[in-house]
Amino acid sequence: MPDVQTSTLEQDIAEARRVLGSRNLVFVGLMGAGKSAIGRLVAQMMDIPFVDSDHEIERVSRMSIAELFSAYGETEFRALEERVITRLLKTGPRVLSTGGGAFMNEATRARLLKSGLSVWLKADLDVLWMRVSKRDTRPLLKTENPRQTLSDLLDERYPVYALADVTVQSRDEVKETIAAETIAAIAQFKGGRSEAASR
């Protein structure tokens, strides 16, 4: 007898690929939400390419994100980010993981909503802090009270991230579960916004 969970996942993958068509599947959310880790796994499961916009920015500029912030400031960085994401959106389907501030840029957000299918990986403050506090590489958290800064970013950005097509709860759970829930949410997407329910 076939494994019900496996056959359901296979059906979800087939339907998610149909829903996506030639568009890019774009992950948005705060730092630490798991956009790259979950995005890479979803790409693997759906058998489509994966690209991380931050890595692409570092590749074309030959500088790290932290160095770009330091040398040019956030405004210049966002302009570069917008150009890179615009170029990446021209080819699909693939999974695109974006930096935490990309969706906050009005022009970038409009482009993502128009030509991609956006997934907000939503996580609570404790989950995000547990993940980001392990590494000292986040330019926006180089403040006196980084946890408070993260909390402020959450308050400021969550209403905007909520404009994404699909919302999936990122939590302290194995990556495979979150990836499967993401694919199921895409498979169920009928236009309009949808929130994935944990199964």
Side-chain angles (χ1 to χ4, degrees), residues 118-137:
S118 50
V119 176
W120 173 25
L121 279 184
K122 181 181 184 181
D124 66 31
L125 180 62
D126 289 339
V127 170
L128 294 171
W129 179 247
M130 178 184 72
R131 293 172 181 171
V132 301
S133 58
K134 292 173 185 166
R135 286 187 302 167
D136 183 28
T137 56

Side-chain angles (χ1 to χ4, degrees), residues 78-90:
R78 295 298 169 207
L80 172 60
E81 181 177 56
E82 185 190 341
R83 289 196 299 275
V84 168
I85 287 175
T86 300
R87 178 173 57 78
L88 292 173
L89 285 172
K90 286 178 180 166

Side-chain angles (χ1 to χ4, degrees), residues 27-139:
F27 280 87
V28 303
L30 262 185
M31 59 185 92
K35 299 183 299 287
S36 294
I38 303 301
R40 193 173 275 111
L41 190 52
V42 166
Q44 204 178 318
M45 290 161 83
M46 290 180 67
D47 195 25
I48 56 178
F50 171 80
V51 63
D52 182 307
S53 65
D54 278 355
H55 292 168
E56 193 63 15
I57 289 164
E58 290 180 335
R59 188 183 71 75
V60 298
S61 67
R62 296 185 179 166
M63 294 171 79
S64 72
I65 300 296
E67 286 166 345
L68 285 164
F69 261 80
S70 174
Y72 301 108
E74 188 173 358
T75 306
E76 279 299 310
F77 172 77
R78 295 298 169 207
L80 172 60
E81 181 177 56
E82 185 190 341
R83 289 196 299 275
V84 168
I85 287 175
T86 300
R87 178 173 57 78
L88 292 173
L89 285 172
K90 286 178 180 166
T91 313
R94 60 179 159 195
V95 174
L96 170 61
S97 166
T98 63
F103 203 66
M104 299 302 294
N105 176 313
E106 203 173 325
T108 304
R109 182 169 67 252
R111 202 162 268 125
L112 290 172
L113 289 171
K114 184 178 175 211
S115 55
L117 181 68
S118 50
V119 176
W120 173 25
L121 279 184
K122 181 181 184 181
D124 66 31
L125 180 62
D126 289 339
V127 170
L128 294 171
W129 179 247
M130 178 184 72
R131 293 172 181 171
V132 301
S133 58
K134 292 173 185 166
R135 286 187 302 167
D136 183 28
T137 56
R138 313 280 184 173

